[in-house]
Amino acid sequence: MPKHLFIKTFGCQMNERDSEIIEQLLAQDGYISVSQPEEADLVILNTCSIRAKAEQKVFSLLGMLRKTQEKNPLLTIAVCGCVAQQEGKAIFKRMPHVSIVVGTQQIYQLPNMLARLERGESTREISCDLEKSFVIPPFQKLLEESPAPSPAPSEYKKFITIMQGCNNFCSYCVVPATRGREISRPVADILEEVHLLVDRGIKEITLLGQNVNSYGLTNPVAEKATGFADLLTLVAQIPGVERLRFTSSNPQDLSHELMQCFKYLDNLCPHFHLPAQSGSNAVLQRMHRKYTRELYLEKVESLRLACPEIALSTDIIVGFPGETDSDFEQTMDLLETVRYHGSFSFKYSDRPHTRSSSFENKIAEEIKSERLHRFQSRQDQISLERNQELVGKTVDVMIEQVKEKSVQSRTGSNHIVHFAPKENLIPGELVSVRITHAGMHSLNGEISDH
Ligand code: SAH
Ligand code: SF4
Ligand code: F3S
């Protein structure tokens, strides 16, 4: 009898990728994914701890799952990801109906842990060690052993994790604690994974890491000579990689070589997510971001020189402890200067064991909300103006979703474009579209070549 797995993923793409790996690992033990927790024998929450709200969401869902388990007493509930890493066995105390807690580097232990529970050898399993030299195992091994190696037919894009952890210790951030030290995967493993994916029909690859720009700099594993720009070049040259993206980048390590990649690699998408966090040097310093506003702007200028059509996006935190009105005005001014195509902005949130959680001069909730609202409203206007620049232009888009009345696609610059369907369009196909209308968050167009 097949067993049924319901997995819910919170947080970043790293977690999404980890969830895929978990599904693949458990498929070997006969688990089939289902879309409702009520249909499952095993529920896994792959959790995020980046802000207090993200963590609260996990605990409220766990609370609701208690009822699901009352109806189905054989249901096993497991927690993995960053909250699992951070809270460890405290999760059992708070949520006694949870029977497995797995840290970020231990997901490969899940099948063994489940087997021990099934054999009745234990009633609770926890594995949360963070190893200094943890390297993600080659994906090949998982594929060989898995009964379902091919991606589903509509799958055309995939993430590849190229590094684990983070060494930057920005003062507000839990990631160095939840993901451990920064380690780059060996180049050969990454290239092998790309080859495997394109052989299975994948057209777009996104290389993932908390700070991909420092790939190969701080690691005992990858070949020293291979920096991130070299790795990108190697991946871009693999036949079948039609689009290549990466995320995320810390501006401090954005090299000249990486900027040049946008000039020379045709399949590298002209989009750069470059988290600024703040426009004020005083705040950046307290955040322990190792660049200044001036250096950041220089990098933006050089990037645009290397690739004039590049679309830039960013992450911003408002209301960092001690952020004055004039600090915040500098963030607004950064937005006016760079005119990002889009951004993700957040209210500062205290996180366990971070340095900033003990900083003085915390900002009141109303002020944070006001600042966030101001930033986001202005960003929306700018996004709309940026999008309007595309009206009348013809752009290449990759098809994402074909519905009866509308096709959703994406430009290399990461803009979503909707257009009326034509026959035989499939996800992953590249077509040309003439942009006819711009909204704040997406564009409309007409297919001009198929
Ligand atoms: N490695 C990436 C960021 C990963 S976390 C980088 O260095 O840019 C994603 C975003 O969450 C961060 O860029 C930051 O804007 C936000 N964030 C992280 N910790 C936060 C906190 N304590 N409060 C509010 N936002 C936070
Ligand atoms: Fe967190 Fe900073 Fe590392 Fe990004 S670079 S994950 S913000 S510590
Ligand atoms: Fe969240 Fe962990 Fe990613 S805290 S953002 S899931 S690295």
Side-chain angles (χ1 to χ4, degrees):
M1 264 265 285
K3 292 168 282 185
H4 293 136
L5 162 69
F6 172 80
I7 181 161
K8 178 150 175 79
T9 311
F10 300 83
C12 64
Q13 290 117 328
M14 308 261 165
N15 259 14
E16 282 180 42
R17 176 71 192 121
D18 284 350
S19 288
E20 282 182 353
I21 293 174
I22 291 170
E23 282 187 281
Q24 198 113 33
L25 280 170
L26 295 183
Q28 292 168 169
D29 290 348
Y31 278 94
I32 294 173
S33 291
V34 293
S35 58
Q36 299 297 329
E38 290 74 20
E39 299 164 9
D41 307 295
L42 169 64
V43 168
I44 298 181
L45 303 189
N46 194 6
T47 62
C48 173
S49 172
I50 200 79
R51 284 168 290 277
K53 251 196 196 153
E55 188 179 334
Q56 282 154 13
K57 261 195 223 160
V58 171
F59 282 105
S60 78
L61 185 54
L62 281 174
M64 292 199 290
L65 285 170
R66 196 190 311 249
K67 295 223 171 64
T68 320
Q69 200 187 42
E70 276 164 15
K71 286 187 203 137
N72 172 13
L74 294 177
L75 175 67
T76 304
I77 300 174
V79 182
C80 26
C82 290
V83 176
Q85 188 65 52
Q86 178 187 296
E87 296 297 311
K89 60 178 189 289
I91 292 179
F92 293 138
K93 243 194 199 152
R94 202 165 150 190
M95 296 285 159
H97 54 302
V98 170
S99 34
I100 299 183
V101 171
V102 205
T104 51
Q105 293 183 359
Q106 300 298 328
I107 53 174
Y108 302 90
Q109 297 305 320
L110 252 173
N112 291 336
M113 297 165 85
L114 280 164
R116 281 196 293 271
L117 281 182
E118 261 176 39
R119 288 196 299 265
E121 284 172 24
S122 64
T123 51
R124 267 183 184 164
E125 287 281 333
I126 177 160
S127 181
C128 279
D129 288 346
L130 274 186
E131 294 158 23
K132 271 212 168 103
S133 53
F134 173 76
V135 185
I136 298 159
F139 191 54
Q140 173 72 48
K141 287 220 177 81
L142 296 178
L143 283 175
E144 272 168 4
E145 292 158 13
S146 165
S150 319
S154 64
E155 270 193 306
Y156 61 91
K157 61 176 175 181
K158 280 279 191 192
F159 299 128
I160 297 185
T161 307
I162 63 163
M163 57 210 292
Q164 161 83 18
C166 183
N167 285 351
N168 282 315
F169 293 94
C170 302
S171 61
Y172 50 80
C173 185
V174 287
V175 174
T178 61
R179 296 269 169 178
R181 293 292 60 74
E182 183 176 299
I183 305 265
S184 302
R185 285 181 78 191
V187 182
D189 283 7
I190 297 167
L191 297 182
E192 190 183 331
E193 206 166 304
V194 178
H195 276 290
L196 274 166
L197 291 176
V198 292
D199 285 353
R200 286 170 169 75
I202 295 298
K203 313 229 179 297
E204 179 178 304
I205 300 280
T206 304
L207 303 180
L208 285 182
Q210 288 301 347
N211 178 20
V212 292
N213 299 2
S214 69
Y215 177 83
L217 291 181
T218 47
N219 75 81
V221 184
E223 294 79 82
K224 278 228 158 42
T226 312
F228 185 56
D230 306 315
L231 178 71
L232 260 189
T233 309
L234 288 169
V235 173
Q237 284 163 353
I238 294 176
V241 176
E242 293 187 19
R243 278 187 169 180
L244 179 56
R245 301 181 186 275
F246 59 85
T247 195
S248 193
S249 297
N250 190 315
Q252 77 195 30
D253 299 316
L254 169 50
S255 67
H256 175 73
E257 289 76 21
L258 178 53
M259 297 185 195
Q260 295 306 304
C261 286
F262 285 93
K263 221 181 210 170
Y264 301 117
L265 304 178
D266 290 342
N267 46 3
L268 181 61
C269 291
H271 169 228
F272 208 114
H273 184 65
L274 195 59
Q277 313 299 359
S278 169
S280 150
N281 282 336
V283 173
L284 285 172
Q285 202 175 16
R286 287 203 303 281
M287 286 178 161
H288 202 234
R289 300 287 283 185
K290 294 166 208 137
Y291 51 87
T292 57
R293 172 199 177 87
E294 292 72 27
L295 192 73
Y296 183 91
L297 287 171
E298 260 173 46
K299 300 223 172 189
V300 165
E301 204 177 41
S302 310
L303 257 179
R304 286 186 168 153
L305 217 63
C307 178
E309 78 274 21
I310 202 161
L312 297 179
S313 57
T314 199
D315 290 350
I316 294 288
I317 297 176
V318 302
F320 188 76
E323 184 187 69
T324 61
D325 283 341
S326 99
D327 288 325
F328 175 65
E329 290 311 325
Q330 292 190 53
T331 298
M332 290 302 292
D333 188 69
L334 185 75
L335 172 60
E336 296 301 336
T337 310
V338 181
R339 290 176 58 80
Y340 295 102
H341 285 71
S343 61
F344 300 96
S345 45
F346 314 98
K347 289 192 246 182
Y348 169 79
S349 157
D350 269 342
R351 305 307 296 130
H353 315 298
T354 56
R355 272 182 293 157
S356 64
S357 62
S358 58
F359 287 1
E360 290 177 358
N361 300 322
K362 295 278 161 60
I363 305 299
E365 198 56 31
E366 310 85 76
I367 298 183
K368 283 198 247 181
S369 300
E370 223 177 86
R371 289 180 183 168
L372 188 70
H373 180 73
R374 242 189 90 197
F375 185 88
Q376 290 182 340
S377 314
R378 186 64 191 124
Q379 174 67 69
D380 281 349
Q381 286 170 343
I382 293 175
S383 297
L384 179 62
E385 287 161 19
R386 283 278 192 199
N387 286 349
Q388 281 163 344
E389 291 165 16
L390 287 170
V391 174
K393 297 212 165 105
T394 298
V395 293
D396 287 339
V397 294
M398 188 172 271
I399 294 174
E400 299 203 317
Q401 246 188 341
V402 182
K403 291 196 189 142
E404 210 179 299
K405 290 203 174 118
S406 155
V407 176
Q408 182 181 304
S409 66
R410 197 177 288 267
T411 64
S413 56
N414 215 25
H415 291 86
I416 291 177
V417 184
H418 296 280
F419 58 90
K422 265 198 174 173
E423 269 172 35
N424 303 326
L425 293 176
I426 48 165
E429 196 178 346
L430 278 170
V431 294
S432 280
V433 165
R434 201 178 67 86
I435 304 298
T436 51
H437 175 263
M440 213 174 269
H441 302 296
S442 67
L443 302 152
N444 293 83
E446 300 168 339
I447 193 159
S448 62
D449 145 43
H450 175 224

